[in-house]
Amino acid sequence: MSSDLNHIVTGADRDFALLLVHPLGSDLTVWDDFVAALVGRVTTLAYDQRGAGRSPIPGRPVDLAEHAADLEALRAGSGIRNVAVIGCAIGAMTAATYAAQYPAHIQALILTNPTPCSTPQARAMLTERAAKVRREGVASLLPGAVERAFLEMPKDVRYDHYMKRFSEQDPDAYAEALIAAAEADASGALRAVRCPTLLVPGRHDVLLPMERTEAVAALVPDAEIVVLEDAAHFIPYQQPAEFAALVLDFLGRHGVMRQSANSPAPERHA
């Protein structure tokens, strides 16, 4: 099903890997610096979801179950046996759905800037944004859409790169993804999660603020929460080295992989 999806696997180990699910409005390049921080430590698989990056455009909204099936086909097709899945923002709903639907290979679930579903206010905003993009193009959302995601973050090379990639999206594909996000609900999947789970909100995230992480934690009672103080809406992109250290520490403590001696333990917030 997903052999046609653009993806990159780094590392030779096929016994364990991180599956990386990018947020809405981006592509697999959002993981580049995070993956670079993990080279030689763990295999990673990053991919462009349908309608994003260099993957095919489906011409319709793609639901969470379909995205999860794509991810499972990528795992199996890459010969990877065990995984931890990491999802960012809207991508966290796909990651949670995957963990619930394909538990046999899941060792851990890590969700950054998470939400269990789109709130009524978010649904209205996403639906309105989809209509605007269809009428006026992606440029009509700029710079506001990107600036809100980078609140309190420097307007550096990462900001510029994200702005460029965001502006180059196919408007119809992005509109379909917005509609899918508006309708998405991973609440049931989160209730079914049984693997070690880490939730990582960003202190400056105004798009999916701390209350959305708390809503996820209410569905996954044993989940750990670590707040990254110097991050906003895209933690793996905005704080890749710090997030990589946090991931290695979490996986090491839960026996998923050997903890690196070079990975400092992060500060935890109950």
Side-chain angles (χ1 to χ4, degrees):
M1 179 179 181
S2 63
S3 60
D4 57 341
L5 296 187
N6 183 46
H7 64 283
I8 298 175
V9 179
T10 65
D13 183 18
R14 294 297 181 269
D15 187 59
F16 177 78
L18 303 179
L19 304 186
L20 309 177
V21 187
H22 65 73
L24 175 68
S26 67
D27 58 24
L28 61 77
T29 64
V30 80
W31 299 102
D32 285 355
D33 289 343
F34 171 73
V35 169
L38 294 171
V39 168
R41 300 184 181 189
V42 61
T43 294
T44 63
L45 188 160
Y47 75 114
D48 290 333
Q49 296 173 37
R50 295 193 180 277
R54 297 180 181 178
S55 286
I57 297 173
R60 59 175 178 80
V62 180
D63 65 27
L64 294 176
E66 291 177 281
H67 281 308
D70 278 343
L71 194 53
E72 172 62 5
L74 280 171
R75 180 206 63 77
S78 299
I80 295 168
R81 191 161 70 92
N82 300 303
V83 300
V85 61
I86 304 178
C88 179
I90 297 300
M93 288 195 278
T94 292
T97 302
Y98 178 83
Q101 292 187 352
Y102 303 96
H105 301 282
I106 280 281
Q107 303 296 305
L109 176 65
I110 300 172
L111 308 178
T112 84
N113 311 94
T115 183
C117 61
S118 293
T119 65
Q121 295 86 350
R123 284 198 296 273
M125 182 276 289
L126 292 166
T127 302
E128 184 176 312
R129 178 177 287 192
K132 184 177 178 66
V133 166
R134 286 191 173 114
R135 291 193 312 268
E136 305 173 32
V138 175
S140 66
L141 305 177
L142 300 173
V146 173
E147 287 182 340
R148 292 194 72 204
F150 281 77
L151 184 68
E152 303 296 335
M153 297 290 100
K155 291 187 176 180
D156 56 10
V157 64
R158 283 196 181 98
Y159 176 91
D160 292 340
H161 176 76
Y162 186 85
M163 179 73 78
K164 183 175 186 296
R165 298 292 292 189
F166 187 92
S167 67
E168 291 173 347
Q169 293 180 91
D170 180 280
D172 290 327
Y174 182 48
E176 297 292 355
L178 287 164
I179 294 300
E183 299 170 352
D185 189 339
S187 300
L190 287 161
R191 292 189 187 95
V193 168
R194 296 294 180 267
C195 62
T197 301
L198 176 65
L199 310 178
V200 191
R203 181 64 70 191
H204 303 296
D205 191 353
V206 292
L207 298 176
L208 292 173
M210 185 64 190
E211 64 195 47
R212 303 312 297 155
T213 296
E214 292 168 348
V216 172
L219 300 172
V220 189
D222 294 329
E224 298 180 32
I225 300 176
V226 177
V227 180
L228 286 195
E229 300 293 339
D230 297 322
H233 189 57
F234 300 132
I235 284 173
Y237 186 72
Q238 292 163 344
Q239 297 291 341
E242 185 176 1
F243 182 61
L246 191 158
V247 168
L248 290 175
D249 173 79
F250 178 76
L251 297 178
R253 286 187 293 105
H254 286 276
V256 176
M257 60 178 288
R258 186 173 57 190
Q259 185 172 358
S260 169
N262 298 320
S263 302
E267 179 181 356
R268 290 180 185 79
H269 300 256

